[in-house]
Amino acid sequence: MKGAPRSKEFDDVYFSAENGFAETQHVFIRGNGLPEAWAGRDFTIFETGFGTGLNFLCAWRLWNETNAGRKLYFISVEKFPLSRAEIESALEMWRGNFEGEFAALLENYPGNLSGTHRIAMGENCMLTLIFEDVNVAMPELNEAIDCWFLDGFRPASNPEMWSETVFQNMARMSKKGATFATFTAAGFVKRGLATAGFDVKKIQGYGRKRDMLVGAKL
Ligand SMILES: C[S@@+](CC[C@H](N)C(=O)[O-])C[C@H]1O[C@@H](n2cnc3c(N)ncnc32)[C@H](O)[C@@H]1O
């Protein structure tokens, strides 16, 4: 796999073919008001779809630049884990955008061993990887979440990732004011999140995507 990797099963890309790194900054980082939202406190991010780990690496790098003395908890659910070699090849072009984070992920990534992996990434970051279907994993969890990265292939080709189960469990685990961001602006995602109690806004998407959704738990 070279360049922007593609899933045959879902007929979609893991990140933008134009520039996945810039897409992550626009959609998930700025879409969630980071780094301001985490200033001076410990913080828990929940991601649907770990994929290559690009979103995780961008969040942890920014954490190291802006809030290194506090602790970042990053929880990500992934049903079809990539191998270490696939991750390395997919992210090779952005190696220079990270410092020790890229090597630390490759060194500690559990391959595709099923189950839950709690991985201490240095002193200030705990990565929890849950290799399971999101609809099975979420109802079992009782975390208090500050921020959601919703990144599960486009809803039209993967509706399971954008289910009532996901939206209701997001509402259950959200701290008051918890934010979310996602690259999609699909109507049923917007309505599902609003019904679950989120204030949902459409804003400008990244690259060729006209719109995306952001919001917060009321
Ligand atoms: C767009 S990619 C995520 C990209 C990733 N955030 C990154 O930084 O590279 C979507 C991911 O969702 C995963 N996925 C799809 N359906 C799923 C499900 N039902 N439960 C959990 N993960 C799922 C896919 O395997 C894929 O890795």
Side-chain angles (χ1 to χ4, degrees):
M1 184 167 31
K2 269 260 173 289
R6 190 171 188 91
S7 158
K8 284 202 200 83
E9 193 163 351
F10 294 106
D11 186 29
D12 199 3
V13 284
Y14 280 79
F15 43 73
S16 159
E18 287 165 64
N19 187 338
F21 185 86
E23 179 184 40
T24 293
Q25 303 298 329
H26 177 85
V27 176
F28 297 104
I29 300 293
R30 285 195 289 283
N32 276 301
L34 303 175
E36 293 79 6
W38 65 33
R41 60 191 184 107
D42 297 346
F43 199 78
T44 302
I45 298 175
F46 193 109
E47 176 182 57
T48 54
F50 187 72
T52 66
L54 177 61
N55 289 344
F56 164 68
L57 288 177
C58 289
W60 187 27
R61 173 88 285 265
L62 187 61
W63 186 268
N64 283 330
E65 285 164 2
T66 60
N67 211 23
R70 311 302 299 228
K71 187 127 185 181
L72 174 65
Y73 298 88
F74 194 102
I75 304 166
S76 190
V77 182
E78 174 56 61
K79 186 174 180 182
F80 308 102
L82 295 174
S83 68
R84 191 177 293 113
E86 285 170 321
I87 288 180
E88 183 165 20
S89 158
L91 300 186
E92 185 57 44
M93 63 189 128
W94 293 304
R95 191 183 278 274
N97 293 44
F98 304 108
E99 292 191 353
E101 296 91 358
F102 187 46
L105 176 64
L106 292 179
E107 190 179 322
N108 292 294
Y109 185 73
N112 52 9
L113 282 179
S114 65
T116 295
H117 307 273
R118 280 172 59 79
I119 307 161
M121 305 288 280
E123 296 277 288
N124 69 358
C125 176
M126 177 65 75
L127 171 64
T128 302
L129 283 176
I130 305 172
F131 290 158
E132 177 59 276
D133 187 300
V134 71
N135 293 287
V136 175
M138 283 182 85
E140 304 277 307
L141 298 171
N142 274 309
E143 311 287 339
I145 305 301
D146 293 293
C147 171
W148 300 89
F149 290 6
L150 303 181
D151 195 13
F153 289 139
R154 61 188 138 76
S157 44
N158 190 21
E160 289 79 19
M161 198 64 155
W162 310 87
S163 65
E164 284 305 312
T165 302
V166 170
F167 302 145
Q168 294 300 332
N169 280 286
M170 282 176 65
R172 181 178 60 79
M173 288 191 274
S174 282
K175 291 190 192 167
K176 193 167 165 37
T179 62
F180 76 84
T182 180
F183 63 89
T184 183
F188 81 92
V189 171
K190 188 166 182 251
R191 288 188 295 277
L193 286 163
T195 304
F198 290 86
D199 178 36
V200 183
K201 287 193 187 65
K202 221 187 239 191
I203 64 167
Q204 192 181 359
Y206 176 76
R208 275 173 282 159
K209 293 200 182 89
R210 196 176 45 162
D211 302 313
M212 58 173 265
L213 301 177
V214 296
K217 183 72 173 52
L218 297 170

